[in-house]
């Protein structure tokens, strides 16, 4: 079987779906690997490195994809690129499956067996396959570095002959993988760290990293975690309490990182304009959820906004791509760990167990149909801040294409 690794086409995407290290492992398993010329340059991987690992370097996307039975990508193929992939091929990538209805339908119509790797179930044996965790970890780390770069003071306490500089105070909102890494990185830099999350189980995780946990309402937070391990959408009563608690706390903070995301929905607003106005000049906020609508009022996609009172709000998109070499290495390992159980040890052929939880959880299209239960159950389309869709036009309702439920054989 030939695995194709094309160059990413999305503007600003520096990652590649597999490093030379992973290509070497694929070749050792018996796969033929074709890598598009210069696909790894954004991640500091040369064509020579891929050739040494055993890959064939193709001159363009067409030659890379034309005969491949499996395609690895970071982002979903679109338009002309999608047409280059042969019908029946297996696709593994981050597909924005919960928000990009049209994109998933296009994959089904193209006849691809597509796996949306961001839908990987939160179970123990799938941790090594989870792209959200590996990429989120890097995003949390980079968020602190970005904040420190824009902050005009030192982070740790410094005792000098000229006097003492107090440590910066960092506040992390959302204690998932990104939040935990932000806490750890801020502590290593010497900041005094507090963190908050609606899930009570995160309290011990925050404390284990040396941070202090800020709770809003412990009773209401008892049922705030979904079966998948994510934060659930909270009722309006809780959100009102949260705003009061955060408003009092945030005015004393120097660095704030927001990471709150709800899969398939717009990101909740955690920081209002009034809260920003209460902060000290020179303070910095990093909104890691800006691509999903944003946790911060006033944040803008791919911009650093300065408020009227001198607070900087950072809205970098695709943060893992700004650490492309590390991100690509981890992304490729996630995909490799996903397919290893599919490889028949005797024949070396791919044998997919369609009932396996990691397979059924991520499989979105097969035999020309959308078959993922989570997608079929969705009743609404969530729009991103960068591409907001309106539900009406000239007073008339606009019909949106939705997934059609199909019975599985």
């Amino acid at each position: 079987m030939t695995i194709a690794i094309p160059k990413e086409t999305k503007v600003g995407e520096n990652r590649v779906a597999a490093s030379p290290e992973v290509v070497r492992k694929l070749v050792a398993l018996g796969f033929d690997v074709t890598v598009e010329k210069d696909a790894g340059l954004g991640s500091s991987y040369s064509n020579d490195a891929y050739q040494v690992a055993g890959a064939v370097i193709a001159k363009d996307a067409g030659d890379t994809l034309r005969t491949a039975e499996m395609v690895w990508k970071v982002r979903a193929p679109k338009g002309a690129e999608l047409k280059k992939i042969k019908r029946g091929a297996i696709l593994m990538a981050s597909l924005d499956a919960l928000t990009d209805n049209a994109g998933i339908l296009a994959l089904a119509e193209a006849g691809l067996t597509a796996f949306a790797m961001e839908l990987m179930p939160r179970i123990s044996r799938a941790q090594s396959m989870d792209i959200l965790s590996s990429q989120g970890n890097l995003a949390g780390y980079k968020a602190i570095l970005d904040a420190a770069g824009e902050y005009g003071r030192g982070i740790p306490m410094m005792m000098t002959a000229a006097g003492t500089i107090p440590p910066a105070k960092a506040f992390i909102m959302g204690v998932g993988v990104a939040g935990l890494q932000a806490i750890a990185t801020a502590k290593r830099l010497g900041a005094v760290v507090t963190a908050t999350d609606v899930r009570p189980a995160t309290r011990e995780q925050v404390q284990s990293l040396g941070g202090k946990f800020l709770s809003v309402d412990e009773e209401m937070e008892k049922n705030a975690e979904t079966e998948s391990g994510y934060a659930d959408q909270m009722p309006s009563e809780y959100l009102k309490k949260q705003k009061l608690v955060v408003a009092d706390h945030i005015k004393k903070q120097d660095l704030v990182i927001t990471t709150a995301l709800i899969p398939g929905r717009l990101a909740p607003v955690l920081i209002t304009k009034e809260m920003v106005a209460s902060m000290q000049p020179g303070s910095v906020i990093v909104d890691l959820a800006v691509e999903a609508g944003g946790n911060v009022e006033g944040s803008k996609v791919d911009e650093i906004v300065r408020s009227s009172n001198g607070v900087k709000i950072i809205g970098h998109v695709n943060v893992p791509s700004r650490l492309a070499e590390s991100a690509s290495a981890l992304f490729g390992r996630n995909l490799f760990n996903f397919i290893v159980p599919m490889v028949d040890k005797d024949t070396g052929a791919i044998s997919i167990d369609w009932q396996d939880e990691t397979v059924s959880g991520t499989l979105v299209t097969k035999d020309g149909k959308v078959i993922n239960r989570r997608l079929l159950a969705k009743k609404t389309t969530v729009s991103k801040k960068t591409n907001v869709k309106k539900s009406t036009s000239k007073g008339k309702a606009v019909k949106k294409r939705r997934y059609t439920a199909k019975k599985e054989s």
Side-chain angles (χ1 to χ4, degrees):
M1 173 179 279
T2 299
I3 298 178
I5 301 169
K7 186 176 182 178
E8 295 298 318
T9 58
K10 186 177 177 65
V11 175
E13 183 54 79
N14 297 313
R15 291 173 293 177
V16 63
S19 65
E21 172 208 9
V22 169
V23 167
R24 187 177 296 108
K25 292 180 179 179
L26 290 171
V27 172
L29 282 178
F31 292 101
D32 294 322
V33 181
T34 302
V35 178
E36 184 179 352
K37 181 182 178 182
D38 297 339
L41 292 187
S43 299
S44 303
Y45 299 134
S46 67
N47 295 325
D48 288 344
Y50 282 111
Q51 285 183 310
V52 170
V56 172
I57 304 299
K59 66 178 181 180
D60 55 30
D63 282 356
T64 305
L65 298 168
R66 190 171 296 115
T67 60
E69 291 95 349
M70 183 183 292
V71 177
W72 284 16
K73 279 184 57 62
V74 175
R75 300 279 190 160
K78 302 286 186 181
E81 183 184 27
L82 178 57
K83 293 177 181 178
K84 292 182 175 75
I85 303 175
K86 74 175 188 178
R87 196 169 190 85
I90 297 171
L91 171 68
M92 296 180 183
S94 176
L95 302 178
D96 293 328
L98 294 175
T99 56
D100 187 7
N101 292 7
I104 297 301
L105 287 167
L107 296 177
E109 290 170 0
L112 302 185
T113 299
F115 292 91
M117 299 303 295
E118 74 274 15
L119 300 183
M120 186 63 64
R122 288 293 180 92
I123 56 178
S124 296
R125 67 184 177 87
Q127 288 179 355
S128 65
M129 312 170 191
D130 188 354
I131 64 169
L132 292 184
S133 292
S134 70
Q135 305 302 292
N137 187 60
L138 292 171
Y141 163 77
K142 186 63 172 173
I144 289 293
L145 298 188
D146 286 339
E150 293 294 332
Y151 186 56
R153 305 166 211 158
I155 302 296
M157 182 175 71
M158 297 182 185
M159 301 179 69
T160 75
T164 300
I165 297 175
K169 296 177 181 177
F171 182 37
I172 315 301
M173 303 185 72
V175 189
V177 174
L180 288 171
Q181 185 55 247
I183 293 168
T185 303
K187 285 295 294 182
R188 285 196 291 268
L189 289 178
V192 175
V193 182
T194 54
T196 188
D197 195 288
V198 299
R199 297 165 298 172
T202 60
R203 178 190 294 269
E204 290 184 11
Q205 295 173 324
V206 171
Q207 293 171 342
S208 70
L209 292 172
K212 293 183 179 180
F213 191 79
L214 181 69
S215 183
V216 174
D217 186 317
E218 294 186 16
E219 187 63 32
M220 295 181 72
E221 290 167 350
K222 286 182 179 179
N223 299 313
E225 188 169 342
T226 68
E227 292 181 0
S228 301
Y230 293 99
D232 203 354
Q233 192 166 28
M234 300 300 287
S236 58
E237 182 184 353
Y238 178 89
L239 297 178
K240 290 178 182 178
K241 289 184 178 181
Q242 184 184 54
K243 285 184 178 179
L244 292 174
V245 172
V246 170
D248 181 62
H249 186 70
I250 205 169
K251 64 180 68 173
K252 297 168 281 189
Q253 303 304 305
D254 302 304
L255 310 176
V256 181
I257 313 295
T258 67
T259 73
L261 289 167
I262 302 173
R265 300 175 184 173
L266 289 173
V269 175
L270 304 179
I271 299 178
T272 64
K273 291 181 179 179
E274 291 75 20
M275 294 178 192
V276 174
S278 74
M279 297 177 70
Q280 295 299 310
S283 300
V284 180
I285 304 171
V286 179
D287 189 349
L288 283 180
V290 68
E291 289 180 89
N295 295 145
V296 185
E297 280 190 334
S299 66
K300 293 184 179 179
V301 169
D302 241 1
E303 291 187 28
I304 299 177
V305 177
R306 185 187 290 270
S307 71
S308 58
N309 60 317
V311 176
K312 293 181 180 178
I313 306 172
I314 301 174
H316 292 315
V317 300
N318 194 10
V319 176
S321 184
R322 298 173 62 235
L323 294 168
E325 185 172 351
S326 296
S328 298
L330 294 177
F331 192 97
R333 291 173 195 167
N334 291 146
L335 268 59
F336 179 79
N337 292 332
F338 180 56
I339 72 163
V340 165
M342 303 177 186
V343 180
D344 188 288
K345 293 180 180 179
D346 296 324
T347 66
I350 287 286
S351 178
I352 301 176
D353 178 1
W354 302 105
Q355 303 307 313
D356 184 277
E357 193 173 355
T358 63
V359 172
S360 61
T362 56
L363 181 64
V364 290
T365 66
K366 185 174 180 283
D367 299 329
K369 304 171 187 175
V370 176
I371 65 171
N372 187 279
R373 288 187 175 87
R374 288 178 69 181
L375 303 191
L376 295 174
K378 279 174 61 63
K379 295 181 180 179
T380 58
T381 300
V382 177
S383 302
K384 290 187 177 182
K385 192 172 188 176
T386 52
N387 185 28
V388 178
K389 296 178 182 177
K390 296 180 180 180
S391 59
T392 61
S393 177
K394 297 182 180 179
K396 296 181 180 180
V398 176
K399 292 183 179 179
K400 294 180 180 178
R401 256 182 112 188
R402 302 189 188 279
Y403 304 125
T404 303
K406 302 283 185 181
K407 290 185 178 180
E408 296 183 61
S409 56

